[in-house]
Amino acid sequence: MTDIGVVHLVRRKNGIAPFERFLASYLKHPAGQPHELVLLFKGFSGAGGLAAYERLLSSVSHRPIFVPDRGLDLNAYVTAAEQLDYAYFCFLNSYSRILAQDWLAKLYRWITKEGVGLVGATGSCQSIVGGYTEQQQRIQALPPVQRTYTRIRRALADRRSGMFLRRASLWLLRVAGIWQPQKDFPAFPNYHLRTNAFMAARQTLRRVHPGPISTKLSAYRFESGNDSLTNQVRRLGLRVVVVGRDGECYEPERWHLSNTFWQSAQENLLVSDNQTEFYDSSDPSVRAELAQYAWGGFARSA
């Protein structure tokens, strides 16, 4: 067995299309590093319902693991890290699509450097606390009724899958006083590695405490909250870096220069997902707003 497990989440509810896109990208772009492909089949009843997937995988070496459709992507990752004994894990979510050859070799080059605890394809400064983009500031200055109407209209216009329900649920929790983001999330700039595609040593992951991840809010906390994966690893005295298609690593203060997430034309992106693809397909005004969400005054949209 190799030292590296590439763990890709295959969620039954997503249908087969995202997996077809991932697999096509995986076969097109050689990893450049020996590894074992682990497929986390989430929500499948054992081998039942896998016929279409098995046809696609007939010539692809892989290790299947079945997990129940409970919790979120991070729950499945935690399960994999507990069950498997690879020295290094590379996690790719269900919408990941590989964009360049030697992608794993580029990530592995940096995760094996002394003092590096976490590497990923994308990172952001975004904070759920908000209030740092020009548009957000304009909305906040509106009268209460107009402010609410404007936020509802913008939420309805967001074409990202499930975003309206997410925004609505967070707004209701906030109004009810159940959720106070300023207590759970750092203010901007809130450096955090996005968990769509990241790599870490098993011994590092064992020192991280994700806590219960049963809701989208708890997943947000683990990705970008005060006790995020990034912050926990940094508190261990380890570096957290973004790796671009160019094979170079970028420290948090230089992430905005990596051109990997919601910046420029994302031309240096190593692994895409639904969020980076949303940016690519948006008009210039939306891209400009997204870039400001992620990078504030450093925003440079295409």
Side-chain angles (χ1 to χ4, degrees), residues 28-79:
K28 179 180 179 180
H29 301 293
Q33 187 71 34
H35 66 281
E36 186 169 24
L37 177 63
V38 179
L39 298 178
L40 284 180
F41 288 104
K42 187 177 182 183
F44 292 81
S45 179
L50 281 183
Y53 296 85
E54 289 175 340
R55 284 194 292 271
L56 293 172
L57 291 163
S58 60
S59 60
V60 180
S61 176
H62 65 284
R63 180 176 181 176
I65 293 181
F66 296 92
V67 294
D69 195 7
R70 293 196 300 268
L72 302 162
D73 292 2
L74 291 167
N75 297 85
Y77 297 163
V78 170
T79 298

Side-chain angles (χ1 to χ4, degrees), residues 18-300:
F19 178 68
E20 288 179 315
R21 296 180 71 221
F22 164 76
L23 189 61
S25 73
Y26 176 81
L27 295 174
K28 179 180 179 180
H29 301 293
Q33 187 71 34
H35 66 281
E36 186 169 24
L37 177 63
V38 179
L39 298 178
L40 284 180
F41 288 104
K42 187 177 182 183
F44 292 81
S45 179
L50 281 183
Y53 296 85
E54 289 175 340
R55 284 194 292 271
L56 293 172
L57 291 163
S58 60
S59 60
V60 180
S61 176
H62 65 284
R63 180 176 181 176
I65 293 181
F66 296 92
V67 294
D69 195 7
R70 293 196 300 268
L72 302 162
D73 292 2
L74 291 167
N75 297 85
Y77 297 163
V78 170
T79 298
E82 290 174 346
Q83 291 185 5
L84 306 172
D85 58 358
Y86 301 103
Y88 295 92
F89 288 88
C90 178
F91 294 102
L92 303 173
N93 77 2
S94 53
Y95 291 104
S96 293
R97 188 165 60 91
I98 298 161
L99 300 179
Q101 68 177 25
D102 297 331
W103 55 276
L104 186 59
K106 292 171 181 177
L107 294 171
Y108 183 72
R109 172 193 173 193
W110 292 105
I111 196 59
T112 53
K113 295 285 187 182
E114 185 176 357
V116 174
L118 198 64
V119 304
T122 57
S124 174
C125 290
Q126 187 173 359
S127 171
I128 285 181
V129 176
Y132 49 84
T133 72
E134 293 176 6
Q135 187 170 54
Q136 283 180 312
Q137 291 167 358
R138 288 197 299 269
I139 292 172
Q140 191 62 32
L142 294 172
V145 174
Q146 189 177 354
R147 185 192 314 152
T148 300
Y149 170 76
T150 302
R151 284 175 171 164
I152 291 173
R153 186 182 52 170
R154 291 181 67 243
L156 288 170
D158 194 331
R159 294 181 287 107
R160 287 175 289 176
S161 176
M163 283 304 296
F164 175 74
L165 289 177
R166 291 179 197 174
R167 286 186 176 189
S169 61
L170 289 176
W171 179 77
L172 289 171
L173 290 171
R174 196 167 185 169
V175 169
I178 298 172
W179 176 48
Q180 297 177 301
Q182 66 275 12
K183 292 185 177 181
D184 294 327
F185 296 87
F188 184 90
N190 174 26
Y191 296 108
H192 61 278
L193 209 66
R194 298 179 63 246
T195 55
N196 66 304
F198 69 98
M199 190 171 189
R202 185 171 188 266
Q203 62 181 10
T204 301
L205 293 172
R206 294 183 69 179
R207 299 174 68 187
V208 170
H209 304 288
I213 307 174
S214 56
T215 65
K216 196 65 183 179
L217 179 55
S218 58
Y220 286 150
R221 288 194 184 105
F222 188 55
E223 181 167 272
S224 65
N226 294 325
D227 289 319
S228 66
L229 173 63
T230 295
N231 286 339
Q232 289 193 49
V233 170
R234 294 181 83 177
R235 285 198 289 265
L236 294 173
L238 300 172
R239 294 160 58 199
V240 176
V241 301
V242 162
V243 177
R245 193 182 306 189
D246 58 5
E248 296 304 315
C249 85
Y250 297 80
E251 303 291 340
E253 293 75 15
R254 297 181 65 248
W255 285 354
H256 66 281
L257 299 174
S258 69
N259 293 339
T260 53
F261 178 69
W262 289 3
Q263 186 79 310
S264 187
Q266 301 183 139
E267 61 271 19
N268 198 28
L269 181 60
L270 194 60
V271 181
S272 72
D273 69 313
N274 53 339
Q275 298 296 323
T276 58
E277 290 173 0
F278 175 69
Y279 177 90
D280 284 336
S281 65
S282 295
D283 62 47
S285 64
V286 174
R287 287 200 297 270
E289 183 181 353
L290 293 174
Q292 274 208 340
Y293 273 121
W295 308 114
F298 291 111
R300 292 178 289 100

